[in-house]
Amino acid sequence: MVRMAKDQELVVFQTSGVSLIRIFRPVLVFMLLMGGLNFAFNELVVPAANRAFSQTFQYQIQSDHFPALRSQVVFRILNQFFYVGQVNAQEHRVRDVVIFETNADSPKIISAQGATWSSGTWRLRNGQIYQLDAHGNLSYYHRFEEAVLPMGQVFSEYFFPPKSPKEMTLAELKERIQLLEKSGGDSRPLWMEVYLKFSLPFGCVVFGVLG
């Protein structure tokens, strides 16, 4: 477009009855398309690739510094609190599991000697289930040899460092920001990542118009 303006070609188009909007329309459509593709790539491909690289780096490159076994791991999923005595990341096995589920009327405690990960579920073995009433008294007790617990996440997500901002999608960033703001934490670095997701695609449109 700069070259066309320099050689007076835009003037020729206008004198021929072709409006500037018609001239610039293909360029704008192309820039918007490139911006959309850029946003989709940064949202769908880049976070997953960064997470895969991070996990590969931990498992392979630094395998001598990061032991395969981890002890006394604690994490939370919604209203469930998990304590795991020992984690074998390579074999996807855990030992000494205690799960405390907080419900308004009847809290539940599940303990098991061990568990294995398979197809999005934990298979607990040799455990007990304790159900408490509203007053904290035992209202139900059951022993089991094997129980299936749906988890719905990748095994390593529970026992290794959480995702960094560059490994998160836009929805995950907003969820983390809400949690930080509710707890009084500093959410500005996460907001920067949110703005960056929009600024790079929008830059394609801006430079296309300026060009």
Side-chain angles (χ1 to χ4, degrees):
M1 288 300 175
V2 175
R3 182 60 184 270
M4 292 178 66
K6 182 179 179 180
D7 294 340
Q8 304 298 320
E9 293 181 10
L10 293 180
V11 177
V12 175
F13 277 116
Q14 288 181 288
T15 55
S16 301
V18 181
S19 64
L20 288 176
I21 296 179
R22 182 178 177 183
I23 297 173
F24 284 103
R25 186 182 300 161
V27 177
L28 292 176
V29 171
F30 179 75
M31 290 299 103
L32 289 173
L33 178 61
M34 291 301 298
L37 291 175
N38 193 325
F39 178 81
F41 185 82
N42 289 332
E43 177 70 6
L44 301 177
V45 179
V46 173
N50 288 337
R51 186 60 176 174
F53 169 79
S54 177
Q55 292 181 346
T56 302
F57 186 76
Q58 291 182 12
Y59 284 125
Q60 302 296 332
I61 300 178
Q62 295 186 350
S63 58
D64 295 336
H65 304 284
F66 288 89
L69 298 178
R70 297 187 61 190
S71 300
Q72 298 182 349
V73 179
V74 179
F75 60 94
R76 176 185 178 183
I77 303 177
L78 300 177
N79 65 330
Q80 293 178 320
F81 295 84
F82 292 77
Y83 168 81
V84 180
Q86 187 179 80
V87 180
N88 189 324
Q90 293 181 347
E91 298 181 2
H92 287 195
R93 295 178 179 273
V94 295
R95 292 178 56 187
D96 302 328
V97 181
V98 178
I99 305 170
F100 179 69
E101 184 175 329
T102 58
N103 294 321
D105 299 328
S106 56
K108 181 190 300 183
I109 300 174
I110 303 174
S111 64
Q113 292 183 1
T116 56
W117 170 269
S118 176
S119 302
T121 60
W122 280 19
R123 294 187 176 275
L124 307 173
R125 66 177 187 276
N126 300 330
Q128 302 87 32
I129 299 176
Y130 304 87
Q131 190 87 33
L132 307 178
D133 59 21
H135 302 287
N137 300 318
L138 183 64
S139 61
Y140 175 78
Y141 173 77
H142 175 68
R143 294 182 61 88
F144 62 85
E145 294 184 0
E146 182 177 274
V148 177
L149 182 66
M151 299 296 283
Q153 284 185 258
V154 179
F155 181 83
S156 60
E157 295 290 339
Y158 303 108
F159 310 114
F160 290 92
K163 291 182 178 180
S164 67
K166 294 186 180 298
E167 298 169 355
M168 296 182 185
T169 63
L170 187 60
E172 291 171 336
L173 282 171
K174 290 183 176 180
E175 182 178 356
R176 182 70 63 84
I177 288 172
Q178 290 178 353
L179 292 175
L180 280 176
E181 291 179 345
K182 287 181 180 179
S183 60
D186 185 11
S187 61
R188 288 176 296 179
L190 297 181
W191 277 116
M192 289 294 295
E193 289 294 330
V194 172
Y195 297 145
L196 188 62
K197 284 183 176 290
F198 289 100
S199 62
L200 292 177
F202 188 70
C204 296
V205 180
V206 173
F207 284 108
V209 173
L210 293 178

